[in-house]
Amino acid sequence: MIIIMNSETTDEQIAGVVNKLKEFGLESNVSRGIERTVIGAIGDETKADKELLQALSGVEDVIRVMKPYKIVARSYHKEDTVIDIGGVKLGGKQIQVIGGPCSVETQTQMDAAAEGVAAAGCRLMRGGAFKPRTSPYSFQGTGVEGLEMFRKAASKSNLPIVTELMDVRMLDTFLEHDVDVIQIGTRNMQNFDLLKEVGRTHKPVILKRGMSATISEWLMAAEYIAAGGNHNIIFCERGVRSFETYYRNMLDVTAIPVLKKETHLPVIVDPSHAGGKAWMVPALARAAVAAGADGLLVEMHPTPCEAWCDADQALDPQELKVLMGQLGGIAQAIGRSI
Amino acid sequence: MIIIMNSETTDEQIAGVVNKLKEFGLESNVSRGIERTVIGAIGDETKADKELLQALSGVEDVIRVMKPYKIVARSYHKEDTVIDIGGVKLGGKQIQVIGGPCSVETQTQMDAAAEGVAAAGCRLMRGGAFKPRTSPYSFQGTGVEGLEMFRKAASKSNLPIVTELMDVRMLDTFLEHDVDVIQIGTRNMQNFDLLKEVGRTHKPVILKRGMSATISEWLMAAEYIAAGGNHNIIFCERGVRSFETYYRNMLDVTAIPVLKKETHLPVIVDPSHAGGKAWMVPALARAAVAAGADGLLVEMHPTPCEAWCDADQALDPQELKVLMGQLGGIAQAIGRSI
Amino acid sequence: MIIIMNSETTDEQIAGVVNKLKEFGLESNVSRGIERTVIGAIGDETKADKELLQALSGVEDVIRVMKPYKIVARSYHKEDTVIDIGGVKLGGKQIQVIGGPCSVETQTQMDAAAEGVAAAGCRLMRGGAFKPRTSPYSFQGTGVEGLEMFRKAASKSNLPIVTELMDVRMLDTFLEHDVDVIQIGTRNMQNFDLLKEVGRTHKPVILKRGMSATISEWLMAAEYIAAGGNHNIIFCERGVRSFETYYRNMLDVTAIPVLKKETHLPVIVDPSHAGGKAWMVPALARAAVAAGADGLLVEMHPTPCEAWCDADQALDPQELKVLMGQLGGIAQAIGRSI
Amino acid sequence: MIIIMNSETTDEQIAGVVNKLKEFGLESNVSRGIERTVIGAIGDETKADKELLQALSGVEDVIRVMKPYKIVARSYHKEDTVIDIGGVKLGGKQIQVIGGPCSVETQTQMDAAAEGVAAAGCRLMRGGAFKPRTSPYSFQGTGVEGLEMFRKAASKSNLPIVTELMDVRMLDTFLEHDVDVIQIGTRNMQNFDLLKEVGRTHKPVILKRGMSATISEWLMAAEYIAAGGNHNIIFCERGVRSFETYYRNMLDVTAIPVLKKETHLPVIVDPSHAGGKAWMVPALARAAVAAGADGLLVEMHPTPCEAWCDADQALDPQELKVLMGQLGGIAQAIGRSI
């Protein structure tokens, strides 16, 4: 931790900082420059409270030297973590595409969706039973009944399932219905009580990035899950809020190489929610794989024009199949497979 | 609702849209322009699914004509809503400043804080017992014990209390401790299950704006609370995420006149969390009142340099008193009081 | 300047940094912490190239300790700079409201506008002869002829004039027509050649903030003007780009106290271009003055509904007069006048 | 153009809009819905002034139905435009990587750079003689002398050259030195006088996206060039401003498929300025090609650690070679070549 004093700092103010650091159990290295005095804190900086130091007289700025995340950090675990989802490996050489509809509607729809997903060569399936909707008057999901339909459809095609948990009180229901991967949505990325609870299970968790979360905040949200003992965490970039209105969210493709450097955990991308339009999905999906993503979450609906939710962003089964072919070529070009 | 067809649309595609609108119970007004055909949907547009229309062949864009919010809309209730908080009126001519520390620490600290708040002329007190912190390793609040200390200190000074609810499972505890105003924090603005639950109570709710929520999304989040029957909602602007790094968040002062136009509910501002530095608070507080805010949430700590949380953004009791004086002059200049 | 080495740095890498600093004429203070080695550079850090240091082996981050701006910095000149514009003082106790239409249209319109501006109690007038328009097919301004009409109308009402310079080749024409204040628009904030040229004159310059410029970049743009010898610079906050679509730009009210702290130069605000709607202007204008702005740029048109440009954001003469009254009260509440 | 009236509109107000539309030469289609009246304007909407309509009494919103761009629009020219740059085709099946240093330093450096560029298999070279720098005290480029060195070095390796024009007064010098492609930088995207001037030449122009320009504004900036007669325009996405601080700019990969849909002109990407760090460049370059970019601008320096500008973002010649290999594989996977 480095404390930068303002330009007219006094010896008394410097002593005040040094004393406060001592209280935190840290040594000081005082470096008096020509225009500024800089104090380096030596020791475990996690013990020091940045805001308290910033509130001291004469302090201009306080800069952390160490990354605030621990368990999820690449420095904690050098090798890539590979997560096993019912036998399907995510985070290794093979790229996983998780296909399926935005929301669970009917058994027929889910059966058709599962067949389409499997036929396209995907090994995991997604679908929402509980839907976070901007309006309280919109369709809110089929709930527990939806979970049952999903489980049944996916099992027939032998696909592990991914579905979103919004309410901490539903966690037991998710475990009872043997959800394979719990998804935490963008609006709940910093719902810390929810993170703590899924941190107590051992279920793989897909943690979507918050609407305008920095990469650092996102890593810290994952640290909440990891701190509870659950290290099976998958980051999912899904686009962030921006000034551009042509599409829904701005896919932050740079987050992929950054996360691969900062964390050992797998990184996937949701091109469907990023762009918000089906015609943008193939380009974004290809970009994500080319940039190093370990997987994708792709919306596919047996009959997009009849979808109960986000109808305009789902691929149809045939489009998913074509996309899988393109992704295979790109994966190969970078030494991976699909 | 207006459906704009793309430039090479066919009669068949137009008929497809007209039929789909009929399914939703809406009439159509087809207007064939020189370069574009535009279809106006006549009837209750809330019955129509925008995404489904957008997914139809030949459709370029679908534009809603009506505002999606109802109960919270100014058109639903023309007069300003005034909320009664233990006898203190928020939303009327008198501006309310809610003072108090970021977090509840000890009984001594809270007693001193309550005295400072009252001495400055504030009529409501804030304090956090459960703290949403970016890091799982930071101080997470004093919890239920903190609630008790807060309740005790505030009652001595006869101040109704405002505190944040993060976990839906703690709602009963909040009601038991007679929290006067439930605050929903920025990270939970779209925690829909939490919104639904506070919507079932009759407690006044301060709904903070999400980190990068549009005003429309914010109004819709309030609609979740209102739809449950609780119309005692107070909007709180607290700065949004931006590219500027000099301060913590960008205070969106324009949101104040916009909300006053769109909703009948009170609007307050949190200048402390916006700027993130105590020295910025007076200027931002003055700007908020001048722009028409009905109240403020201001952090005040008896001894800021010892605060357990956000030490660098709290005013001390004397600074709060001085600020109250300035705000009084501004309130008067715009025909209000403090 | 502080150089943070990565966690597995070697003695050789540290020596590499120390040597490079020596090349720049800087001494080093090496502080070996438990997890990180930090090197403090002692001496004039403006001599060191941050990017070059960042490219050295083993370097994780390089942090500047000193502010990059000099002449415009508050530390360079402690007192507020007051700029004299034809006898009108900007930057002192008196707040200046610069009124006038978006664009110069006709002599009649400009004469009426000048009368309205003076009648409302404003002492300076604005008007655009050269208009930066998003579309090449929109009205581009009345040009030199417009300048003449503007000069004539303003002189009758004895008002110094403010107008925008877009093309460096027009500077001489501006000087010939005795423009009192040259405005550099948001799209040209980093048009460095234009900044250098106005820096060679002694005309007061209003430097509008770039669409998404950080405060630091903005100060550095002003430094380009100041470095040429022209210290008569006025910063103008006019809203920045954001994700919010309800209004045109997000007025960054926090920039006002920040600039007043960082620079000795005057700071004004353009509430008309920020919100983009006439009904938002009064609230934003009041907020700006309450936050400490030294002046305002307010669009006023004799007959807004007939304006050739931005018709929906101009006040009419009567509305400007009412606003001036409100601003007077707020100015008084903070110890200023209007 | 569609005019949405507010909920309590009167017949008189509707007539006012209809009359104003008539003045613009447009017919009206008035559609009285249950809650709103909507007026459709029929005819050439470019003749109508949106702001003027918005300023009329009773008008809530005005929505354009047609795209404001013409010559650059895909609807104007269905086929992809292929631009010939000294025999090198940009915009066709073959992807072009434009390599070279950030700035021209010495003849030796440029000769080595040109060799490296050619050796890696690139067919075009970049280099900056005039540099837009945030600080007036930073190295500003080698100027005309730099242009000469660049021209000489590139000609030896038979590479057409790309370099940035900042000042309209230097255009003739650029033409004299036979610059093959004129680059308009991000800070000048809306320097309309500069755009108009390059629009009068027939030189290919690379138009970089403004720091926070919307895609629509960017297309309109290109329209300024096109309107002057020069249709040889190449869009270059280079990252936009965002809240994320880990890297310099957020590469907007979604802009690639969007532009390919909206315009017939080529689209390239600058992964070097986007990320701002050499280690991010390969991932971003691969993503851009996978998403459909027609080319790349990649910074390469013979000895990055000694670069005079942006030292930490340049690849070395060997890294560029390796990258070209990877890109070849991806190009092949999507049916293109490199």
Side-chain angles (χ1 to χ4, degrees):
Chain A
M1 197 172 250
I2 293 161
I3 295 97
I4 300 172
M5 305 302 289
N6 63 37
S7 57
E8 289 162 9
T9 191
T10 63
D11 285 353
E12 214 182 329
Q13 291 171 328
I14 294 171
V17 173
V18 169
N19 283 340
K20 182 61 80 178
L21 288 173
K22 208 172 285 174
E23 278 181 35
F24 292 135
L26 297 169
E27 307 260 328
S28 298
N29 174 313
V30 178
S31 166
R32 286 170 207 264
I34 291 167
E35 305 209 20
R36 282 275 190 285
T37 293
V38 170
I39 303 171
I42 300 170
D44 179 3
E45 75 174 41
T46 62
K47 292 182 194 158
D49 184 314
K50 188 179 168 184
E51 281 82 23
L52 255 186
L53 288 163
Q54 223 140 12
L56 294 181
S57 173
V59 171
E60 181 152 315
D61 210 357
V62 178
I63 296 160
R64 286 198 179 278
V65 169
M66 284 164 51
K67 301 288 170 68
Y69 30 95
K70 298 183 196 310
I71 305 173
V72 305
R74 176 69 78 178
S75 55
Y76 174 86
H77 183 91
K78 303 272 167 189
E79 302 300 306
D80 282 351
T81 288
V82 178
I83 296 177
D84 188 301
I85 306 168
V88 178
K89 304 271 199 278
L90 181 59
K93 205 186 146 198
Q94 193 180 56
I95 292 162
Q96 303 299 344
V97 178
I98 309 170
C102 176
S103 65
V104 177
E105 299 163 9
T106 63
Q107 192 65 56
T108 317
Q109 169 240 17
M110 289 308 284
D111 288 347
E115 281 164 32
V117 166
C122 303
R123 293 174 210 90
L124 296 160
M125 185 172 175
R126 55 150 291 154
F130 300 88
K131 301 301 305 173
R133 303 302 296 275
T134 304
S135 167
Y137 310 120
S138 295
F139 167 59
Q140 307 271 318
T142 45
V144 177
E145 202 186 341
L147 267 191
E148 278 162 20
M149 294 190 275
F150 187 8
R151 181 71 278 172
K152 210 166 138 190
S155 295
K156 273 189 245 175
S157 294
N158 211 18
L159 297 161
I161 67 173
V162 176
T163 196
E164 180 169 349
L165 177 68
M166 290 168 61
D167 186 342
V168 69
R169 296 168 300 183
M170 291 305 295
L171 180 55
D172 287 344
T173 309
F174 270 54
L175 298 178
E176 281 159 24
H177 284 78
D178 203 21
V179 168
D180 297 283
V181 182
I182 296 171
Q183 180 178 309
I184 302 292
T186 191
R187 292 169 189 77
N188 283 311
M189 190 201 87
Q190 290 191 320
N191 181 337
F192 298 123
D193 292 290
L194 186 61
L195 299 179
K196 284 176 186 169
E197 289 299 335
V198 299
R200 289 194 189 103
T201 74
H202 290 289
K203 286 283 176 190
V205 177
I206 288 180
L207 181 65
K208 287 199 155 188
R209 184 181 189 174
M211 204 70 92
S212 62
T214 63
I215 293 173
S216 174
E217 288 169 339
W218 191 11
L219 286 160
M220 288 310 290
E223 192 77 24
Y224 263 92
I225 301 171
N230 186 355
H231 298 190
N232 296 312
I233 307 164
I234 300 151
F235 290 90
C236 179
E237 161 66 29
R238 43 79 73 203
V240 294
R241 186 131 281 182
S242 83
F243 57 85
E244 180 59 61
T245 56
Y246 195 101
Y247 44 75
R248 196 191 292 169
N249 295 293
M250 188 177 279
L251 183 70
D252 180 10
V253 76
T254 317
I256 303 169
V258 168
L259 282 174
K260 295 306 291 181
K261 182 164 185 275
E262 292 295 323
T263 180
H264 52 91
L265 295 165
V267 178
I268 67 172
V269 169
D270 179 343
S272 307
H273 280 84
K277 295 284 173 198
W279 65 265
M280 299 175 183
V281 171
L284 299 183
R286 293 191 312 254
V289 168
D294 298 306
L296 298 173
L297 261 183
V298 177
E299 280 199 15
M300 186 277 277
H301 192 282
T303 47
C305 280
E306 294 170 11
W308 297 4
C309 163
D310 286 345
D312 52 340
Q313 78 187 24
L315 301 185
D316 68 25
Q318 182 53 25
E319 289 167 334
L320 179 61
K321 209 168 197 168
V322 171
L323 176 59
M324 288 294 283
Q326 293 182 340
L327 297 178
I330 292 174
Q332 202 182 352
I334 56 169
R336 299 181 79 163
S337 65
I338 204 152
Chain B
M1 196 171 249
I2 293 161
I3 295 96
I4 300 172
M5 305 302 290
N6 63 36
S7 57
E8 289 162 8
T9 191
T10 62
D11 285 352
E12 212 181 332
Q13 291 171 328
I14 294 170
V17 172
V18 170
N19 284 339
K20 182 60 80 178
L21 288 172
K22 210 172 282 172
E23 279 181 34
F24 292 135
L26 298 168
E27 306 262 326
S28 299
N29 173 316
V30 178
S31 167
R32 287 171 205 263
I34 291 166
E35 304 210 23
R36 283 277 190 282
T37 292
V38 170
I39 303 172
I42 300 170
D44 179 3
E45 77 173 41
T46 61
K47 292 182 193 158
D49 183 315
K50 189 178 167 184
E51 281 81 23
L52 255 186
L53 288 164
Q54 222 140 13
L56 293 181
S57 172
V59 171
E60 180 150 316
D61 210 356
V62 178
I63 296 160
R64 285 198 180 277
V65 170
M66 284 163 52
K67 301 289 169 69
Y69 32 97
K70 297 183 196 311
I71 306 173
V72 305
R74 176 68 79 177
S75 55
Y76 174 87
H77 183 94
K78 303 270 167 189
E79 302 300 305
D80 283 351
T81 287
V82 179
I83 296 178
D84 188 302
I85 307 169
V88 178
K89 304 270 199 279
L90 181 60
K93 205 187 145 196
Q94 193 181 55
I95 291 162
Q96 303 299 345
V97 178
I98 308 169
C102 175
S103 65
V104 177
E105 299 163 9
T106 65
Q107 191 66 55
T108 316
Q109 170 242 13
M110 289 309 282
D111 288 348
E115 282 164 31
V117 165
C122 302
R123 293 174 211 89
L124 296 161
M125 185 171 176
R126 55 150 292 153
F130 300 88
K131 302 300 306 171
R133 303 301 298 275
T134 304
S135 167
Y137 310 120
S138 295
F139 167 60
Q140 308 271 316
T142 46
V144 178
E145 203 186 342
L147 266 191
E148 279 161 19
M149 294 189 275
F150 187 9
R151 182 70 276 175
K152 208 166 139 191
S155 295
K156 275 190 244 174
S157 296
N158 211 19
L159 298 161
I161 66 172
V162 176
T163 196
E164 179 169 349
L165 176 68
M166 291 168 61
D167 186 342
V168 70
R169 296 168 300 182
M170 290 305 294
L171 179 55
D172 287 343
T173 308
F174 270 52
L175 298 178
E176 281 158 25
H177 285 77
D178 203 20
V179 167
D180 296 285
V181 182
I182 296 171
Q183 180 178 307
I184 301 293
T186 192
R187 293 169 187 77
N188 283 312
M189 191 200 86
Q190 290 190 320
N191 181 338
F192 298 122
D193 292 290
L194 186 60
L195 299 179
K196 284 174 186 171
E197 289 298 335
V198 299
R200 289 191 189 106
T201 74
H202 290 288
K203 287 283 178 191
V205 177
I206 288 179
L207 181 65
K208 287 200 153 187
R209 184 181 188 172
M211 205 68 95
S212 61
T214 62
I215 293 173
S216 174
E217 289 169 339
W218 192 10
L219 287 160
M220 289 311 289
E223 192 77 24
Y224 263 94
I225 301 171
N230 185 356
H231 298 190
N232 296 312
I233 306 165
I234 300 152
F235 290 90
C236 180
E237 161 65 31
R238 42 77 74 202
V240 295
R241 185 131 282 181
S242 83
F243 57 83
E244 180 59 60
T245 56
Y246 194 102
Y247 45 75
R248 197 190 291 169
N249 294 294
M250 188 175 280
L251 182 70
D252 180 11
V253 76
T254 316
I256 304 169
V258 169
L259 281 174
K260 295 306 289 181
K261 183 165 186 274
E262 293 295 323
T263 180
H264 52 91
L265 295 165
V267 178
I268 66 172
V269 168
D270 179 343
S272 308
H273 280 85
K277 295 284 174 196
W279 66 265
M280 298 175 184
V281 171
L284 299 182
R286 292 192 312 255
V289 168
D294 297 306
L296 299 173
L297 261 183
V298 178
E299 281 200 13
M300 187 276 276
H301 192 282
T303 46
C305 279
E306 294 170 10
W308 297 4
C309 162
D310 286 346
D312 53 339
Q313 78 186 26
L315 301 184
D316 68 25
Q318 182 53 26
E319 290 166 334
L320 179 60
K321 211 169 195 165
V322 171
L323 176 59
M324 288 294 282
Q326 294 182 341
L327 297 178
I330 292 173
Q332 204 181 351
I334 56 168
R336 300 183 79 164
S337 64
I338 205 152
Chain C
M1 197 171 249
I2 294 161
I3 296 94
I4 301 172
M5 305 300 290
N6 63 37
S7 57
E8 288 162 9
T9 191
T10 62
D11 286 351
E12 213 180 333
Q13 291 171 328
I14 294 170
V17 173
V18 170
N19 284 338
K20 183 59 80 177
L21 287 173
K22 210 172 282 172
E23 279 180 34
F24 292 135
L26 298 169
E27 305 262 326
S28 298
N29 173 314
V30 178
S31 167
R32 287 171 205 263
I34 291 166
E35 305 210 20
R36 283 277 190 282
T37 291
V38 170
I39 303 172
I42 300 171
D44 179 4
E45 75 174 41
T46 61
K47 294 182 192 157
D49 184 314
K50 189 179 167 183
E51 280 81 23
L52 255 186
L53 288 165
Q54 222 140 13
L56 294 181
S57 171
V59 171
E60 179 149 317
D61 211 355
V62 178
I63 296 160
R64 285 199 180 277
V65 168
M66 284 164 52
K67 301 289 168 69
Y69 31 96
K70 297 183 197 311
I71 307 173
V72 306
R74 175 69 80 178
S75 56
Y76 174 85
H77 183 92
K78 303 270 167 190
E79 302 301 305
D80 283 351
T81 287
V82 178
I83 296 177
D84 188 300
I85 307 168
V88 179
K89 304 269 199 279
L90 181 59
K93 205 186 146 198
Q94 192 180 56
I95 291 162
Q96 303 299 345
V97 178
I98 309 168
C102 176
S103 66
V104 177
E105 299 163 10
T106 65
Q107 192 65 56
T108 316
Q109 169 241 14
M110 289 309 282
D111 288 347
E115 281 163 32
V117 165
C122 303
R123 293 174 210 89
L124 296 161
M125 186 171 174
R126 56 150 290 153
F130 300 88
K131 302 300 306 170
R133 303 302 298 275
T134 304
S135 167
Y137 309 120
S138 296
F139 168 59
Q140 307 271 317
T142 46
V144 178
E145 202 186 343
L147 266 191
E148 279 161 20
M149 294 190 273
F150 187 9
R151 181 71 277 174
K152 208 167 139 191
S155 296
K156 275 189 244 176
S157 295
N158 211 20
L159 297 162
I161 66 172
V162 176
T163 195
E164 179 168 350
L165 176 68
M166 290 168 61
D167 186 340
V168 71
R169 296 168 300 181
M170 290 305 294
L171 180 55
D172 287 342
T173 308
F174 270 53
L175 297 177
E176 281 158 25
H177 284 77
D178 203 20
V179 168
D180 297 283
V181 182
I182 296 171
Q183 179 178 307
I184 302 293
T186 193
R187 293 168 187 76
N188 282 312
M189 191 200 86
Q190 290 190 319
N191 181 338
F192 298 122
D193 292 291
L194 187 59
L195 299 179
K196 284 175 186 170
E197 288 300 334
V198 299
R200 288 191 190 106
T201 75
H202 291 288
K203 286 282 177 192
V205 177
I206 289 180
L207 181 66
K208 287 201 154 188
R209 183 180 190 173
M211 205 69 94
S212 62
T214 62
I215 293 172
S216 174
E217 288 169 339
W218 192 10
L219 287 159
M220 289 310 290
E223 193 77 24
Y224 263 93
I225 300 171
N230 186 355
H231 297 190
N232 296 313
I233 307 164
I234 300 152
F235 290 90
C236 180
E237 161 66 29
R238 43 77 73 203
V240 295
R241 185 130 282 181
S242 83
F243 57 84
E244 180 60 60
T245 55
Y246 195 102
Y247 43 75
R248 197 190 293 170
N249 295 293
M250 189 177 281
L251 182 70
D252 181 11
V253 76
T254 317
I256 303 169
V258 169
L259 281 175
K260 295 305 291 180
K261 184 165 186 274
E262 292 296 322
T263 180
H264 51 91
L265 295 165
V267 178
I268 66 172
V269 168
D270 180 343
S272 306
H273 280 85
K277 295 285 172 196
W279 65 265
M280 298 175 184
V281 171
L284 299 183
R286 293 192 312 255
V289 169
D294 297 306
L296 299 174
L297 262 184
V298 177
E299 281 199 14
M300 187 274 278
H301 192 281
T303 46
C305 280
E306 294 170 11
W308 297 4
C309 162
D310 286 345
D312 52 340
Q313 77 187 25
L315 300 185
D316 67 25
Q318 182 54 25
E319 289 167 335
L320 179 60
K321 210 168 197 167
V322 171
L323 176 59
M324 288 295 282
Q326 293 183 340
L327 296 178
I330 292 174
Q332 203 181 353
I334 56 168
R336 300 183 80 163
S337 65
I338 205 151
Chain D
M1 196 172 250
I2 293 161
I3 295 96
I4 300 172
M5 305 302 289
N6 63 36
S7 57
E8 290 162 8
T9 192
T10 62
D11 284 353
E12 213 181 330
Q13 290 170 329
I14 293 171
V17 173
V18 170
N19 284 338
K20 182 61 79 179
L21 288 172
K22 210 172 281 173
E23 279 181 35
F24 293 135
L26 298 169
E27 306 261 329
S28 299
N29 173 315
V30 178
S31 167
R32 288 171 205 261
I34 291 166
E35 305 209 20
R36 283 274 190 284
T37 292
V38 170
I39 303 172
I42 300 170
D44 179 2
E45 76 174 41
T46 62
K47 293 182 193 159
D49 184 314
K50 188 179 169 185
E51 281 82 22
L52 256 186
L53 288 164
Q54 223 141 12
L56 294 181
S57 172
V59 171
E60 181 152 313
D61 210 358
V62 178
I63 296 159
R64 285 198 182 277
V65 169
M66 283 164 52
K67 301 288 169 68
Y69 30 96
K70 298 183 196 309
I71 306 173
V72 305
R74 175 70 79 179
S75 55
Y76 175 86
H77 183 93
K78 304 269 168 190
E79 302 301 305
D80 283 350
T81 287
V82 178
I83 296 177
D84 188 301
I85 306 168
V88 179
K89 304 269 198 278
L90 180 58
K93 205 187 147 197
Q94 193 181 55
I95 292 162
Q96 302 300 344
V97 178
I98 308 169
C102 176
S103 65
V104 177
E105 298 163 9
T106 64
Q107 192 64 56
T108 317
Q109 170 240 15
M110 289 308 283
D111 288 347
E115 282 164 33
V117 165
C122 302
R123 292 173 213 91
L124 296 161
M125 184 171 176
R126 55 151 290 153
F130 300 88
K131 301 300 306 171
R133 303 301 297 273
T134 304
S135 168
Y137 310 120
S138 296
F139 168 60
Q140 307 271 317
T142 45
V144 178
E145 202 186 341
L147 267 192
E148 280 163 19
M149 293 190 276
F150 187 9
R151 181 71 278 172
K152 209 166 138 190
S155 296
K156 274 190 244 173
S157 295
N158 211 20
L159 297 161
I161 67 172
V162 176
T163 195
E164 181 169 349
L165 176 68
M166 291 168 61
D167 187 341
V168 71
R169 297 169 299 183
M170 290 305 294
L171 179 55
D172 286 343
T173 309
F174 270 54
L175 298 178
E176 282 160 24
H177 284 79
D178 203 21
V179 167
D180 298 283
V181 182
I182 297 172
Q183 180 178 308
I184 301 293
T186 190
R187 291 168 189 77
N188 284 312
M189 190 201 85
Q190 290 190 320
N191 181 337
F192 299 122
D193 292 290
L194 187 60
L195 299 179
K196 284 175 186 171
E197 288 299 336
V198 300
R200 289 193 190 104
T201 75
H202 290 288
K203 286 283 177 190
V205 177
I206 289 179
L207 181 65
K208 287 199 155 189
R209 184 180 189 174
M211 205 69 92
S212 61
T214 61
I215 292 172
S216 174
E217 288 169 339
W218 192 11
L219 287 160
M220 289 310 289
E223 192 77 24
Y224 263 92
I225 301 171
N230 186 353
H231 298 189
N232 296 312
I233 307 164
I234 300 151
F235 290 90
C236 180
E237 161 66 30
R238 43 77 74 202
V240 295
R241 185 130 280 181
S242 83
F243 58 83
E244 180 60 60
T245 56
Y246 195 102
Y247 44 76
R248 197 192 290 171
N249 295 293
M250 188 176 281
L251 183 70
D252 180 12
V253 76
T254 317
I256 304 168
V258 168
L259 281 174
K260 296 306 290 180
K261 181 164 186 276
E262 293 294 323
T263 180
H264 52 91
L265 296 164
V267 179
I268 67 173
V269 169
D270 179 344
S272 306
H273 280 84
K277 296 284 172 197
W279 65 264
M280 298 175 184
V281 170
L284 298 183
R286 294 192 311 255
V289 169
D294 297 306
L296 299 174
L297 262 183
V298 178
E299 280 199 15
M300 186 276 276
H301 192 282
T303 47
C305 280
E306 294 170 10
W308 296 4
C309 165
D310 287 345
D312 52 339
Q313 78 187 24
L315 300 185
D316 68 25
Q318 182 54 26
E319 289 166 335
L320 180 60
K321 209 169 197 167
V322 171
L323 176 59
M324 289 294 283
Q326 293 182 341
L327 297 177
I330 292 174
Q332 202 181 352
I334 56 169
R336 300 181 79 163
S337 65
I338 205 151

